[in-house]
Amino acid sequence: GASDEDADKYAMNFSPQAFWAETDTPDIAREPLQRPDFLPIVSSTTLAQSLIKRANGAGPTRGINGFVIELNTAGGHNAP
């Protein structure tokens, strides 16, 4: 595995304030970031129900904003 020294070599910090300060729109960094929508990719109803059951977000869907349904014809990681 990587040592702590290696981790420091490849670490990257991002400051929205510093980034936007160098543009013509520094006010953008003053607004708090909003949580992006969460749209998990699922291939079955069972998986979707399990994700909703285990999610810990707010509201009736516990922070899940929807699902992308991937059928077996999609290929990729859920290919038969």
Side-chain angles (χ1 to χ4, degrees):
S3 68
D4 287 338
E5 185 178 305
D6 289 338
D8 289 340
K9 275 196 260 183
Y10 300 105
M12 183 174 113
N13 293 316
F14 176 72
S15 167
Q17 290 82 11
F19 176 83
W20 289 110
E22 297 179 18
T23 70
D24 293 333
T25 55
D27 292 340
I28 291 174
R30 292 189 186 112
E31 297 176 18
L33 297 175
Q34 295 181 357
R35 180 183 180 271
D37 286 347
F38 179 49
L39 301 167
I41 300 169
V42 297
S43 59
S44 71
T45 303
T46 303
L47 178 56
Q49 290 172 334
S50 176
L51 284 171
I52 288 178
K53 185 177 181 180
R54 295 177 185 190
N56 59 6
T61 60
R62 299 181 174 191
I64 296 175
N65 299 97
F67 291 98
V68 175
I69 309 299
E70 180 180 79
L71 302 177
N72 62 352
T73 57
H77 61 279
N78 288 325

